[in-house]
Amino acid sequence: MSPRKAYLQSPHHAALALATLGLGFASGEPLFLIAGFVAYVLGWVYVPDLAFFRRWLEARAGAAENVAAGAELAQFVARRTKLLENLTQTRRTRYQALAAVCRDIEEAAADGDDDSRVRRLEELMWTFLRLLSIEESLGEFLETEASENVPELATEAAVEVERLEAEVSASKSQGATPAAEARERLLISRRERLEALRKRAERIEQARGNLALVVAEQERLEQQIKLIRADSIATKNASALTARIDATVEHLEQTNHWLAQMDEFKDLVSDVPQTGLRVGFGDPATPPELPNRSDRRGKERA
C-alpha cells in the first residue's frame, strides 16, 4: 500500500480533516472554509512524507507482521503438541530426553552472539519428532499386516491361480460349458486377489526398509546432538560450535528430502516457521524467550 493511500485510511487523516474542513464548515465563514480546505490539501501532500508518519507506518506494519508470525507459531506449536501426544510413552520419553540435551547445549552456548544456533537445534528436534511419528506409524502398519501373514497368503494364492489356470485350459479344450465359464470367472477373481496380495507384500517390504532407515536416522541424529553437547561443554569456541550444528543440519537435508518423497507421510512435510520467533523444543509447549545475555552476565559478575 502506498504511503498516501495508507494516509487516507489513517487516524492522522481523520484528525486533519476534522481540524481543517470540519472547523471550516462549522465556522460558517467562507474565509475559514477556504483556509481549512487549503490546510487539508497541504496536509494530504506533505504528511505522508513526514518522518513521524513513516515511523507510524513502519510500526503498524511491524505489528501486523507480529500478529501473523504469532498465528503461524501457534499453529506450528499446536501441530507439534498433537504429534507428541500421539506418540507412545516410550517414544515421548526419548523425545523429551533429547530435548533436555538441546537445553543443555543452549545453556552452555548462552554466552555466544549467534542465537540462530538455538533455532537450528529446534529444526533438528522437529526432524527427530517427525522420525518418531513415522516410526510409530510404520510399526503399527507392520504389526497389523503381520497378524494376517500376507507373504504366506500370497504364496498360497499363486499356487491356487496356477492350478486354476491349468483347469481352465483343460476345460476349454473340451468346449464351452457353464461349468467352464464359472471356472474362468473364478480364475479372474483369484488373479485379482493374488495381485492385491502381492501389492500388500511389496508394501510390507517397503515399510520394513523405511522403518530400518527411520530408526537409523533417529540414532544418528541423537548421537549428533549429543556430540554437539559434548563440544559445547568441552570447548568455548562459538564458531566451532556453530559449524558443528550447521554440519548436522546439512546432513539432515537428505533425510528431509527422503521424508518428502514418502507419499503416505505428506502431512509431515513442513519446516519450522521462519518467523524469527522461538518455537522451543516441545517441552514445555510454550516456546521460551531468547536468553538475555546482558542480564546473565550481570548475574555472573555479581
Side-chain angles (χ1 to χ4, degrees), residues 11 38 55 72 118 174 221 252 289:
V38 171
R55 288 193 296 270
E72 186 178 2
V118 181
Q174 298 175 1
L221 182 53
L252 282 177
E289 297 292 335

Side-chain angles (χ1 to χ4, degrees), residues 216-286:
E217 287 296 290
Q218 287 176 13
E219 294 172 351
R220 179 165 74 97
L221 182 53
E222 281 181 301
Q223 296 307 317
Q224 289 284 355
I225 291 178
K226 289 178 181 178
L227 179 59
I228 293 171
R229 178 178 63 179
D231 288 347
S232 68
I233 295 173
T235 67
K236 296 302 179 181
N237 189 328
S239 298
L241 180 60
T242 300
R244 171 73 69 182
I245 295 175
D246 288 345
T248 303
V249 172
E250 184 177 350
H251 289 161
L252 282 177
E253 286 183 1
Q254 292 181 348
T255 302
N256 289 323
H257 179 69
W258 167 68
L259 292 177
Q261 293 177 327
M262 299 176 68
D263 292 336
E264 60 269 41
F265 299 109
K266 287 293 187 184
D267 58 334
L268 291 178
V269 180
S270 64
D271 296 322
V272 175
Q274 301 299 315
T275 60
L277 301 175
R278 286 290 311 279
V279 300
F281 301 119
D283 183 24
T286 302

Side-chain angles (χ1 to χ4, degrees), residues 9-302:
Q9 302 175 9
S10 70
H12 307 80
H13 172 258
L16 182 64
L18 181 63
T20 55
L21 298 179
L23 291 179
F25 278 111
S27 68
E29 295 291 335
L31 183 60
F32 285 111
L33 180 59
I34 293 173
F37 179 76
V38 171
Y40 170 78
V41 171
L42 290 174
W44 186 86
V45 171
Y46 290 108
V47 170
D49 295 322
L50 295 179
F52 84 91
F53 184 75
R54 295 283 183 168
R55 288 193 296 270
W56 178 82
L57 278 183
E58 292 174 359
R60 190 178 70 164
E65 289 177 0
N66 289 337
V67 170
E72 186 178 2
L73 176 62
Q75 185 178 11
F76 173 82
V77 170
R79 185 182 182 197
R80 181 181 60 189
T81 301
K82 184 177 180 180
L83 283 181
L84 277 169
E85 291 174 348
N86 289 337
L87 293 178
T88 61
Q89 183 59 46
T90 300
R91 292 186 177 91
R92 197 179 308 130
T93 300
R94 283 184 62 196
Y95 180 88
Q96 291 168 348
L98 195 58
V101 174
C102 289
R103 285 192 291 275
D104 290 342
I105 298 170
E106 181 180 7
E107 191 78 19
D111 288 335
D113 295 324
D114 188 3
D115 293 327
S116 63
R117 287 194 299 258
V118 181
R119 293 191 176 91
R120 294 189 190 101
L121 289 175
E122 292 170 344
E123 293 176 8
L124 295 177
M125 288 305 299
W126 174 236
T127 298
F128 185 66
L129 176 57
R130 288 184 292 165
L131 289 170
L132 288 173
S133 181
I134 291 173
E135 179 197 6
E136 185 153 312
S137 297
L138 291 173
E140 291 175 355
F141 167 75
L142 290 173
E143 184 178 354
T144 301
E145 293 296 279
S147 64
E148 297 187 26
N149 200 358
V150 174
E152 184 176 339
L153 289 176
T155 301
E156 294 173 355
V159 172
E160 182 184 13
V161 167
E162 186 177 353
R163 177 178 56 79
L164 286 172
E165 286 175 342
E167 292 176 0
V168 169
S169 178
S171 64
K172 282 183 177 180
S173 63
Q174 298 175 1
T177 64
E181 292 177 358
R183 209 68 178 165
E184 188 168 1
R185 286 194 294 270
L186 176 60
L187 173 60
I188 293 172
S189 176
R190 288 310 195 187
R191 279 174 175 167
E192 292 177 354
R193 174 175 176 267
L194 174 60
E195 182 64 22
L197 286 169
R198 283 174 172 168
K199 287 181 179 179
R200 287 179 66 187
E202 289 175 2
R203 290 179 182 175
I204 289 172
E205 287 304 311
Q206 182 182 11
R208 285 174 179 163
N210 287 339
L211 180 59
L213 182 55
V214 163
V215 171
E217 287 296 290
Q218 287 176 13
E219 294 172 351
R220 179 165 74 97
L221 182 53
E222 281 181 301
Q223 296 307 317
Q224 289 284 355
I225 291 178
K226 289 178 181 178
L227 179 59
I228 293 171
R229 178 178 63 179
D231 288 347
S232 68
I233 295 173
T235 67
K236 296 302 179 181
N237 189 328
S239 298
L241 180 60
T242 300
R244 171 73 69 182
I245 295 175
D246 288 345
T248 303
V249 172
E250 184 177 350
H251 289 161
L252 282 177
E253 286 183 1
Q254 292 181 348
T255 302
N256 289 323
H257 179 69
W258 167 68
L259 292 177
Q261 293 177 327
M262 299 176 68
D263 292 336
E264 60 269 41
F265 299 109
K266 287 293 187 184
D267 58 334
L268 291 178
V269 180
S270 64
D271 296 322
V272 175
Q274 301 299 315
T275 60
L277 301 175
R278 286 290 311 279
V279 300
F281 301 119
D283 183 24
T286 302
E289 297 292 335
L290 284 171
N292 189 322
R293 288 188 293 274
S294 60
D295 290 348
R296 180 183 293 106
R297 290 169 181 166
K299 291 178 181 178
E300 289 176 352
R301 286 194 296 270

